[in-house]
Amino acid sequence: MPNSFEPASEIQDYLVFGEYGEVNPSINDSSTYTFLNPATMEELFDHEIEGCFLYSRHWNPSNKYLAQALAAMEQTASAQVTASGMSAIACAILQNCQMGDEILASRTIYGGTYALLKNFLPRFGITTRFVNLRNLAEVEAAITPQTKLLYSESISNPLLDVANLPELSKLSQAHGLKLMIDNTFSPLMLTPARHGADIVAHSLTKFINGTSDCVAGAVCGPKNLIAELSNVNHGASMLLGPVLDSFRSASILKNLHSLHIRIQKHSANALLLAQTLEAQGVRVHYPGLPSHIDHELLKSLMNPGYGFGGMLVIDAGDTATGNRLMELMQAEKVGYLAVSLGYFKTLFSAPGSSTSSEIPADERQAMGLSDGLVRISVGLDHNMTRSIERIQNCLKQVGLL
Ligand SMILES: *Cc1c(COP(=O)(O)O)cnc(C)c1O
């Protein structure tokens, strides 16, 4: 094993007692908090006082509990939770960049983040160049004195590319940039901060919550960034206000405590499916397969014991076959044709070409970016052999087996 680090044990070591000694901390059902004297209130407007709460948009105890557990998981000094993954990403970017600044981002990022960087932030003078992160020389050549942030996902759409975190960190440090990583696809499996990431963002909506019943996000990072985000005078989360409801924080925290077991099962099921289909000649992209371009890189970066993750891509060749395959898989009760990931049931969708439109046609072809990609978030199925048989039936019906 490349290292003996176990983030799950960090979470297990993290014991919090509720107000009355409850094992699940009390859900804090209040938008505002009383002060015994006006002087303390004045002081709190100046700076955060540990354990002292002002107003729920600023902080509330339930959000603190979840944020602290996420910081422990991501090995960062601090964290903040937000009402969606997108608001976490947007607030962290806005806190770090201002008019005139540039961002360098991978071309293969989540569609919402891509749209934020490409269409929305330029209205405020923050511009982004999309680069091929595999080509470090290209990345370095794109850095200008205005560049502030290097942005990537740890494992990204559509082909499950793995970011070379140590190299990207070296580059960021050499040029005084911040390295921001979206770790939504690989919680626990990868700890980007250990490999030099400065800011780690999550959509909690996916694996971390795992029950597809809410939308939420988090920013994990150094203390000063998290304090800045909630600053009453100039904090992006305080002033834009994407506060997570405390009932949701509490339910996500409870789900977080089974994440290590779920990731292991998602990974084991995905690996079995990937190996079985590849052996039968189906074109599969899965970073746990030696045929995946980043297999060795992921092995060198990942935390042992969690596997290679629950995301897998089947290349059906063309859009019509991909669509037919997904319809059949839903009819055969393999899972749901739905966007999102990390649910206990299998979910599948076509990643589409929107987020890859920056990539020139010849490169798309060289990368294996076909129109018939079907992305599968493999569920927690107990009888995976039966599920694989169902998928094989569907593949036969569309002529891929
Ligand atoms: C879903 C997702 C997001 C956005 O998160 P929301 O919770 O839907 O706002 C960001 N990044 C990645 C990689 C995602 O999968």
PDB file of all heavy atoms in Angstrom, residues 83-89 109-113 151 153 155-157 182-185 201-206 214-217 340-341 375, ligand 1:
ATOM      1  N   ALA A  83     -25.774  25.381   1.061  1.00  0.00           N
ATOM      2  CA  ALA A  83     -27.037  24.776   0.644  1.00  0.00           C
ATOM      3  C   ALA A  83     -26.946  23.978  -0.657  1.00  0.00           C
ATOM      4  O   ALA A  83     -27.912  23.332  -1.056  1.00  0.00           O
ATOM      5  CB  ALA A  83     -28.104  25.855   0.517  1.00  0.00           C
ATOM      6  N   SER A  84     -25.797  24.015  -1.343  1.00  0.00           N
ATOM      7  CA  SER A  84     -25.617  23.198  -2.552  1.00  0.00           C
ATOM      8  C   SER A  84     -24.127  23.115  -2.866  1.00  0.00           C
ATOM      9  O   SER A  84     -23.337  23.938  -2.373  1.00  0.00           O
ATOM     10  CB  SER A  84     -26.346  23.815  -3.754  1.00  0.00           C
ATOM     11  OG  SER A  84     -25.747  25.052  -4.085  1.00  0.00           O
ATOM     12  N   GLY A  85     -23.779  22.156  -3.698  1.00  0.00           N
ATOM     13  CA  GLY A  85     -22.392  22.081  -4.153  1.00  0.00           C
ATOM     14  C   GLY A  85     -22.028  23.320  -4.964  1.00  0.00           C
ATOM     15  O   GLY A  85     -20.936  23.873  -4.823  1.00  0.00           O
ATOM     16  N   MET A  86     -22.961  23.762  -5.808  1.00  0.00           N
ATOM     17  CA  MET A  86     -22.685  24.938  -6.641  1.00  0.00           C
ATOM     18  C   MET A  86     -22.424  26.185  -5.798  1.00  0.00           C
ATOM     19  O   MET A  86     -21.559  26.996  -6.128  1.00  0.00           O
ATOM     20  CB  MET A  86     -23.844  25.206  -7.616  1.00  0.00           C
ATOM     21  CG  MET A  86     -23.844  24.357  -8.877  1.00  0.00           C
ATOM     22  SD  MET A  86     -22.246  24.202  -9.716  1.00  0.00           S
ATOM     23  CE  MET A  86     -21.864  25.887 -10.113  1.00  0.00           C
ATOM     24  N   SER A  87     -23.184  26.362  -4.709  1.00  0.00           N
ATOM     25  CA  SER A  87     -22.946  27.559  -3.892  1.00  0.00           C
ATOM     26  C   SER A  87     -21.618  27.458  -3.161  1.00  0.00           C
ATOM     27  O   SER A  87     -20.945  28.477  -2.951  1.00  0.00           O
ATOM     28  CB  SER A  87     -24.111  27.815  -2.924  1.00  0.00           C
ATOM     29  OG  SER A  87     -24.309  26.712  -2.073  1.00  0.00           O
ATOM     30  N   ALA A  88     -21.210  26.253  -2.807  1.00  0.00           N
ATOM     31  CA  ALA A  88     -19.898  26.082  -2.164  1.00  0.00           C
ATOM     32  C   ALA A  88     -18.798  26.492  -3.143  1.00  0.00           C
ATOM     33  O   ALA A  88     -17.873  27.254  -2.802  1.00  0.00           O
ATOM     34  CB  ALA A  88     -19.704  24.625  -1.732  1.00  0.00           C
ATOM     35  N   ILE A  89     -18.911  25.999  -4.382  1.00  0.00           N
ATOM     36  CA  ILE A  89     -17.908  26.297  -5.408  1.00  0.00           C
ATOM     37  C   ILE A  89     -17.900  27.793  -5.728  1.00  0.00           C
ATOM     38  O   ILE A  89     -16.846  28.441  -5.756  1.00  0.00           O
ATOM     39  CB  ILE A  89     -18.193  25.446  -6.676  1.00  0.00           C
ATOM     40  CG1 ILE A  89     -17.945  23.964  -6.368  1.00  0.00           C
ATOM     41  CG2 ILE A  89     -17.343  25.913  -7.857  1.00  0.00           C
ATOM     42  CD1 ILE A  89     -18.527  23.010  -7.391  1.00  0.00           C
ATOM     43  N   ILE A 109     -14.779  19.515 -16.477  1.00  0.00           N
ATOM     44  CA  ILE A 109     -15.410  19.679 -15.169  1.00  0.00           C
ATOM     45  C   ILE A 109     -16.927  19.580 -15.273  1.00  0.00           C
ATOM     46  O   ILE A 109     -17.495  19.642 -16.367  1.00  0.00           O
ATOM     47  CB  ILE A 109     -15.010  21.026 -14.507  1.00  0.00           C
ATOM     48  CG1 ILE A 109     -15.234  22.185 -15.455  1.00  0.00           C
ATOM     49  CG2 ILE A 109     -13.571  20.969 -14.013  1.00  0.00           C
ATOM     50  CD1 ILE A 109     -14.980  23.543 -14.847  1.00  0.00           C
ATOM     51  N   TYR A 110     -17.551  19.448 -14.121  1.00  0.00           N
ATOM     52  CA  TYR A 110     -19.014  19.387 -13.990  1.00  0.00           C
ATOM     53  C   TYR A 110     -19.684  20.527 -14.780  1.00  0.00           C
ATOM     54  O   TYR A 110     -19.210  21.668 -14.749  1.00  0.00           O
ATOM     55  CB  TYR A 110     -19.343  19.481 -12.497  1.00  0.00           C
ATOM     56  CG  TYR A 110     -20.804  19.562 -12.189  1.00  0.00           C
ATOM     57  CD1 TYR A 110     -21.628  18.447 -12.340  1.00  0.00           C
ATOM     58  CD2 TYR A 110     -21.368  20.742 -11.730  1.00  0.00           C
ATOM     59  CE1 TYR A 110     -22.978  18.528 -12.054  1.00  0.00           C
ATOM     60  CE2 TYR A 110     -22.718  20.823 -11.435  1.00  0.00           C
ATOM     61  CZ  TYR A 110     -23.519  19.718 -11.606  1.00  0.00           C
ATOM     62  OH  TYR A 110     -24.858  19.811 -11.316  1.00  0.00           O
ATOM     63  N   GLY A 111     -20.780  20.215 -15.459  1.00  0.00           N
ATOM     64  CA  GLY A 111     -21.447  21.178 -16.330  1.00  0.00           C
ATOM     65  C   GLY A 111     -21.820  22.486 -15.651  1.00  0.00           C
ATOM     66  O   GLY A 111     -21.685  23.563 -16.245  1.00  0.00           O
ATOM     67  N   GLY A 112     -22.298  22.422 -14.419  1.00  0.00           N
ATOM     68  CA  GLY A 112     -22.691  23.629 -13.698  1.00  0.00           C
ATOM     69  C   GLY A 112     -21.494  24.525 -13.418  1.00  0.00           C
ATOM     70  O   GLY A 112     -21.555  25.757 -13.570  1.00  0.00           O
ATOM     71  N   THR A 113     -20.389  23.915 -13.023  1.00  0.00           N
ATOM     72  CA  THR A 113     -19.175  24.690 -12.741  1.00  0.00           C
ATOM     73  C   THR A 113     -18.639  25.300 -14.030  1.00  0.00           C
ATOM     74  O   THR A 113     -18.209  26.452 -14.069  1.00  0.00           O
ATOM     75  CB  THR A 113     -18.094  23.781 -12.123  1.00  0.00           C
ATOM     76  OG1 THR A 113     -18.688  23.006 -11.090  1.00  0.00           O
ATOM     77  CG2 THR A 113     -16.948  24.594 -11.557  1.00  0.00           C
ATOM     78  N   TYR A 151      -8.146  25.210 -11.104  1.00  0.00           N
ATOM     79  CA  TYR A 151      -9.353  24.500 -10.681  1.00  0.00           C
ATOM     80  C   TYR A 151      -9.504  23.166 -11.413  1.00  0.00           C
ATOM     81  O   TYR A 151      -9.410  23.096 -12.642  1.00  0.00           O
ATOM     82  CB  TYR A 151     -10.586  25.373 -10.978  1.00  0.00           C
ATOM     83  CG  TYR A 151     -11.856  24.770 -10.445  1.00  0.00           C
ATOM     84  CD1 TYR A 151     -12.354  25.146  -9.210  1.00  0.00           C
ATOM     85  CD2 TYR A 151     -12.534  23.780 -11.152  1.00  0.00           C
ATOM     86  CE1 TYR A 151     -13.507  24.571  -8.689  1.00  0.00           C
ATOM     87  CE2 TYR A 151     -13.680  23.195 -10.643  1.00  0.00           C
ATOM     88  CZ  TYR A 151     -14.164  23.595  -9.421  1.00  0.00           C
ATOM     89  OH  TYR A 151     -15.292  23.024  -8.901  1.00  0.00           O
ATOM     90  N   GLU A 153     -11.310  18.839 -10.911  1.00  0.00           N
ATOM     91  CA  GLU A 153     -11.980  17.819 -10.103  1.00  0.00           C
ATOM     92  C   GLU A 153     -10.992  16.687  -9.887  1.00  0.00           C
ATOM     93  O   GLU A 153     -10.173  16.415 -10.769  1.00  0.00           O
ATOM     94  CB  GLU A 153     -13.246  17.343 -10.826  1.00  0.00           C
ATOM     95  CG  GLU A 153     -14.326  18.412 -10.745  1.00  0.00           C
ATOM     96  CD  GLU A 153     -15.462  18.256 -11.740  1.00  0.00           C
ATOM     97  OE1 GLU A 153     -15.589  17.189 -12.365  1.00  0.00           O
ATOM     98  OE2 GLU A 153     -16.229  19.229 -11.896  1.00  0.00           O
ATOM     99  N   ILE A 155     -11.585  13.441  -9.682  1.00  0.00           N
ATOM    100  CA  ILE A 155     -11.927  12.463 -10.724  1.00  0.00           C
ATOM    101  C   ILE A 155     -13.059  13.098 -11.506  1.00  0.00           C
ATOM    102  O   ILE A 155     -14.039  13.556 -10.919  1.00  0.00           O
ATOM    103  CB  ILE A 155     -12.378  11.119 -10.116  1.00  0.00           C
ATOM    104  CG1 ILE A 155     -11.221  10.498  -9.315  1.00  0.00           C
ATOM    105  CG2 ILE A 155     -12.861  10.175 -11.216  1.00  0.00           C
ATOM    106  CD1 ILE A 155     -11.486   9.107  -8.787  1.00  0.00           C
ATOM    107  N   SER A 156     -12.904  13.164 -12.831  1.00  0.00           N
ATOM    108  CA  SER A 156     -13.837  14.014 -13.564  1.00  0.00           C
ATOM    109  C   SER A 156     -14.586  13.306 -14.681  1.00  0.00           C
ATOM    110  O   SER A 156     -14.186  12.254 -15.166  1.00  0.00           O
ATOM    111  CB  SER A 156     -13.080  15.210 -14.136  1.00  0.00           C
ATOM    112  OG  SER A 156     -12.257  14.778 -15.192  1.00  0.00           O
ATOM    113  N   ASN A 157     -15.678  13.939 -15.058  1.00  0.00           N
ATOM    114  CA  ASN A 157     -16.475  13.552 -16.213  1.00  0.00           C
ATOM    115  C   ASN A 157     -15.710  13.792 -17.492  1.00  0.00           C
ATOM    116  O   ASN A 157     -14.918  14.704 -17.510  1.00  0.00           O
ATOM    117  CB  ASN A 157     -17.722  14.439 -16.266  1.00  0.00           C
ATOM    118  CG  ASN A 157     -18.898  13.803 -15.571  1.00  0.00           C
ATOM    119  OD1 ASN A 157     -19.053  12.598 -15.582  1.00  0.00           O
ATOM    120  ND2 ASN A 157     -19.705  14.646 -14.973  1.00  0.00           N
ATOM    121  N   ASP A 182     -12.451  19.906  -6.660  1.00  0.00           N
ATOM    122  CA  ASP A 182     -13.787  19.391  -6.365  1.00  0.00           C
ATOM    123  C   ASP A 182     -13.646  17.878  -6.175  1.00  0.00           C
ATOM    124  O   ASP A 182     -13.310  17.152  -7.120  1.00  0.00           O
ATOM    125  CB  ASP A 182     -14.709  19.748  -7.549  1.00  0.00           C
ATOM    126  CG  ASP A 182     -16.129  19.201  -7.399  1.00  0.00           C
ATOM    127  OD1 ASP A 182     -16.319  18.230  -6.646  1.00  0.00           O
ATOM    128  OD2 ASP A 182     -17.035  19.732  -8.073  1.00  0.00           O
ATOM    129  N   ASN A 183     -13.891  17.405  -4.956  1.00  0.00           N
ATOM    130  CA  ASN A 183     -13.663  15.991  -4.634  1.00  0.00           C
ATOM    131  C   ASN A 183     -14.958  15.190  -4.532  1.00  0.00           C
ATOM    132  O   ASN A 183     -15.017  14.157  -3.865  1.00  0.00           O
ATOM    133  CB  ASN A 183     -12.882  15.912  -3.297  1.00  0.00           C
ATOM    134  CG  ASN A 183     -12.199  14.572  -3.086  1.00  0.00           C
ATOM    135  OD1 ASN A 183     -11.857  13.877  -4.048  1.00  0.00           O
ATOM    136  ND2 ASN A 183     -12.002  14.173  -1.833  1.00  0.00           N
ATOM    137  N   THR A 184     -16.000  15.662  -5.209  1.00  0.00           N
ATOM    138  CA  THR A 184     -17.327  15.045  -5.121  1.00  0.00           C
ATOM    139  C   THR A 184     -17.346  13.570  -5.518  1.00  0.00           C
ATOM    140  O   THR A 184     -18.046  12.774  -4.902  1.00  0.00           O
ATOM    141  CB  THR A 184     -18.316  15.831  -6.023  1.00  0.00           C
ATOM    142  OG1 THR A 184     -18.366  17.183  -5.562  1.00  0.00           O
ATOM    143  CG2 THR A 184     -19.699  15.243  -5.994  1.00  0.00           C
ATOM    144  N   PHE A 185     -16.563  13.193  -6.540  1.00  0.00           N
ATOM    145  CA  PHE A 185     -16.587  11.810  -7.035  1.00  0.00           C
ATOM    146  C   PHE A 185     -15.809  10.848  -6.132  1.00  0.00           C
ATOM    147  O   PHE A 185     -15.952   9.640  -6.269  1.00  0.00           O
ATOM    148  CB  PHE A 185     -15.983  11.721  -8.451  1.00  0.00           C
ATOM    149  CG  PHE A 185     -16.941  12.033  -9.568  1.00  0.00           C
ATOM    150  CD1 PHE A 185     -17.936  12.984  -9.413  1.00  0.00           C
ATOM    151  CD2 PHE A 185     -16.842  11.367 -10.793  1.00  0.00           C
ATOM    152  CE1 PHE A 185     -18.814  13.278 -10.445  1.00  0.00           C
ATOM    153  CE2 PHE A 185     -17.718  11.642 -11.841  1.00  0.00           C
ATOM    154  CZ  PHE A 185     -18.705  12.596 -11.663  1.00  0.00           C
ATOM    155  N   ALA A 201     -13.641  21.329  -2.490  1.00  0.00           N
ATOM    156  CA  ALA A 201     -15.089  21.553  -2.498  1.00  0.00           C
ATOM    157  C   ALA A 201     -15.810  20.223  -2.669  1.00  0.00           C
ATOM    158  O   ALA A 201     -15.261  19.266  -3.220  1.00  0.00           O
ATOM    159  CB  ALA A 201     -15.467  22.497  -3.635  1.00  0.00           C
ATOM    160  N   HIS A 202     -17.044  20.181  -2.166  1.00  0.00           N
ATOM    161  CA  HIS A 202     -17.867  18.984  -2.308  1.00  0.00           C
ATOM    162  C   HIS A 202     -19.298  19.345  -2.637  1.00  0.00           C
ATOM    163  O   HIS A 202     -19.836  20.311  -2.103  1.00  0.00           O
ATOM    164  CB  HIS A 202     -17.933  18.202  -0.978  1.00  0.00           C
ATOM    165  CG  HIS A 202     -16.837  17.216  -0.807  1.00  0.00           C
ATOM    166  ND1 HIS A 202     -16.769  16.060  -1.530  1.00  0.00           N
ATOM    167  CD2 HIS A 202     -15.759  17.223   0.014  1.00  0.00           C
ATOM    168  CE1 HIS A 202     -15.690  15.374  -1.161  1.00  0.00           C
ATOM    169  NE2 HIS A 202     -15.047  16.062  -0.229  1.00  0.00           N
ATOM    170  N   SER A 203     -19.923  18.513  -3.478  1.00  0.00           N
ATOM    171  CA  SER A 203     -21.362  18.463  -3.508  1.00  0.00           C
ATOM    172  C   SER A 203     -21.714  17.340  -2.533  1.00  0.00           C
ATOM    173  O   SER A 203     -21.462  16.165  -2.827  1.00  0.00           O
ATOM    174  CB  SER A 203     -21.867  18.146  -4.908  1.00  0.00           C
ATOM    175  OG  SER A 203     -23.234  17.806  -4.826  1.00  0.00           O
ATOM    176  N   LEU A 204     -22.293  17.689  -1.399  1.00  0.00           N
ATOM    177  CA  LEU A 204     -22.670  16.667  -0.410  1.00  0.00           C
ATOM    178  C   LEU A 204     -23.858  15.859  -0.904  1.00  0.00           C
ATOM    179  O   LEU A 204     -24.175  14.786  -0.391  1.00  0.00           O
ATOM    180  CB  LEU A 204     -23.019  17.325   0.933  1.00  0.00           C
ATOM    181  CG  LEU A 204     -21.960  18.240   1.552  1.00  0.00           C
ATOM    182  CD1 LEU A 204     -22.483  18.840   2.858  1.00  0.00           C
ATOM    183  CD2 LEU A 204     -20.668  17.488   1.819  1.00  0.00           C
ATOM    184  N   THR A 205     -24.532  16.418  -1.914  1.00  0.00           N
ATOM    185  CA  THR A 205     -25.688  15.794  -2.544  1.00  0.00           C
ATOM    186  C   THR A 205     -25.420  14.364  -3.016  1.00  0.00           C
ATOM    187  O   THR A 205     -26.335  13.559  -3.115  1.00  0.00           O
ATOM    188  CB  THR A 205     -26.067  16.642  -3.792  1.00  0.00           C
ATOM    189  OG1 THR A 205     -26.049  18.019  -3.438  1.00  0.00           O
ATOM    190  CG2 THR A 205     -27.403  16.267  -4.351  1.00  0.00           C
ATOM    191  N   LYS A 206     -24.183  14.060  -3.338  1.00  0.00           N
ATOM    192  CA  LYS A 206     -23.835  12.807  -4.004  1.00  0.00           C
ATOM    193  C   LYS A 206     -23.456  11.727  -2.981  1.00  0.00           C
ATOM    194  O   LYS A 206     -24.262  11.378  -2.158  1.00  0.00           O
ATOM    195  CB  LYS A 206     -22.739  13.069  -5.034  1.00  0.00           C
ATOM    196  CG  LYS A 206     -22.952  14.347  -5.866  1.00  0.00           C
ATOM    197  CD  LYS A 206     -24.186  14.290  -6.763  1.00  0.00           C
ATOM    198  CE  LYS A 206     -24.559  15.635  -7.372  1.00  0.00           C
ATOM    199  NZ  LYS A 206     -23.512  16.286  -8.159  1.00  0.00           N
ATOM    200  N   CYS A 214     -31.567  15.319  -0.701  1.00  0.00           N
ATOM    201  CA  CYS A 214     -31.341  16.753  -0.500  1.00  0.00           C
ATOM    202  C   CYS A 214     -30.148  17.222  -1.325  1.00  0.00           C
ATOM    203  O   CYS A 214     -29.389  16.415  -1.862  1.00  0.00           O
ATOM    204  CB  CYS A 214     -31.098  17.075   0.969  1.00  0.00           C
ATOM    205  SG  CYS A 214     -29.502  16.533   1.582  1.00  0.00           S
ATOM    206  N   VAL A 215     -30.000  18.521  -1.414  1.00  0.00           N
ATOM    207  CA  VAL A 215     -28.889  19.159  -2.109  1.00  0.00           C
ATOM    208  C   VAL A 215     -28.096  19.940  -1.059  1.00  0.00           C
ATOM    209  O   VAL A 215     -28.689  20.634  -0.234  1.00  0.00           O
ATOM    210  CB  VAL A 215     -29.438  20.104  -3.204  1.00  0.00           C
ATOM    211  CG1 VAL A 215     -28.338  20.929  -3.832  1.00  0.00           C
ATOM    212  CG2 VAL A 215     -30.161  19.309  -4.289  1.00  0.00           C
ATOM    213  N   ALA A 216     -26.776  19.777  -1.065  1.00  0.00           N
ATOM    214  CA  ALA A 216     -25.943  20.485  -0.082  1.00  0.00           C
ATOM    215  C   ALA A 216     -24.500  20.485  -0.546  1.00  0.00           C
ATOM    216  O   ALA A 216     -24.116  19.709  -1.437  1.00  0.00           O
ATOM    217  CB  ALA A 216     -26.044  19.809   1.283  1.00  0.00           C
ATOM    218  N   GLY A 217     -23.701  21.368   0.038  1.00  0.00           N
ATOM    219  CA  GLY A 217     -22.297  21.457  -0.380  1.00  0.00           C
ATOM    220  C   GLY A 217     -21.381  21.818   0.759  1.00  0.00           C
ATOM    221  O   GLY A 217     -21.830  22.093   1.881  1.00  0.00           O
ATOM    222  N   SER A 340     -27.184  12.747 -11.366  1.00  0.00           N
ATOM    223  CA  SER A 340     -26.685  12.633  -9.993  1.00  0.00           C
ATOM    224  C   SER A 340     -25.999  11.276  -9.774  1.00  0.00           C
ATOM    225  O   SER A 340     -25.948  10.433 -10.696  1.00  0.00           O
ATOM    226  CB  SER A 340     -27.777  12.857  -8.953  1.00  0.00           C
ATOM    227  OG  SER A 340     -27.183  13.202  -7.710  1.00  0.00           O
ATOM    228  N   LEU A 341     -25.457  11.109  -8.600  1.00  0.00           N
ATOM    229  CA  LEU A 341     -24.629   9.945  -8.308  1.00  0.00           C
ATOM    230  C   LEU A 341     -24.537   9.716  -6.803  1.00  0.00           C
ATOM    231  O   LEU A 341     -24.965  10.548  -6.011  1.00  0.00           O
ATOM    232  CB  LEU A 341     -23.213  10.152  -8.884  1.00  0.00           C
ATOM    233  CG  LEU A 341     -22.539  11.499  -8.609  1.00  0.00           C
ATOM    234  CD1 LEU A 341     -21.155  11.301  -8.040  1.00  0.00           C
ATOM    235  CD2 LEU A 341     -22.441  12.285  -9.909  1.00  0.00           C
ATOM    236  N   ARG A 375     -22.924   6.990 -18.347  1.00  0.00           N
ATOM    237  CA  ARG A 375     -22.262   7.051 -17.042  1.00  0.00           C
ATOM    238  C   ARG A 375     -23.123   6.327 -16.012  1.00  0.00           C
ATOM    239  O   ARG A 375     -24.327   6.570 -15.925  1.00  0.00           O
ATOM    240  CB  ARG A 375     -22.076   8.510 -16.633  1.00  0.00           C
ATOM    241  CG  ARG A 375     -21.251   8.659 -15.374  1.00  0.00           C
ATOM    242  CD  ARG A 375     -21.204  10.091 -14.932  1.00  0.00           C
ATOM    243  NE  ARG A 375     -22.458  10.470 -14.257  1.00  0.00           N
ATOM    244  CZ  ARG A 375     -22.682  11.673 -13.735  1.00  0.00           C
ATOM    245  NH1 ARG A 375     -21.781  12.615 -13.850  1.00  0.00           N
ATOM    246  NH2 ARG A 375     -23.819  11.941 -13.129  1.00  0.00           N
TER     247      ARG A 375
HETATM  248  C1  LIG B   1     -23.346  17.620  -8.577  1.00  0.00           C
HETATM  249  C2  LIG B   1     -22.001  18.189  -8.693  1.00  0.00           C
HETATM  250  C3  LIG B   1     -21.754  19.532  -8.380  1.00  0.00           C
HETATM  251  C4  LIG B   1     -22.854  20.500  -7.990  1.00  0.00           C
HETATM  252  O1  LIG B   1     -23.415  20.166  -6.763  1.00  0.00           O
HETATM  253  P1  LIG B   1     -24.940  20.495  -6.349  1.00  0.00           P
HETATM  254  O2  LIG B   1     -25.026  19.911  -4.984  1.00  0.00           O
HETATM  255  O3  LIG B   1     -25.826  19.847  -7.357  1.00  0.00           O
HETATM  256  O4  LIG B   1     -25.078  21.979  -6.366  1.00  0.00           O
HETATM  257  C5  LIG B   1     -20.459  19.992  -8.460  1.00  0.00           C
HETATM  258  N1  LIG B   1     -19.462  19.188  -8.839  1.00  0.00           N
HETATM  259  C6  LIG B   1     -19.653  17.899  -9.157  1.00  0.00           C
HETATM  260  C7  LIG B   1     -18.496  17.065  -9.561  1.00  0.00           C
HETATM  261  C8  LIG B   1     -20.929  17.348  -9.088  1.00  0.00           C
HETATM  262  O5  LIG B   1     -21.123  16.070  -9.421  1.00  0.00           O
END
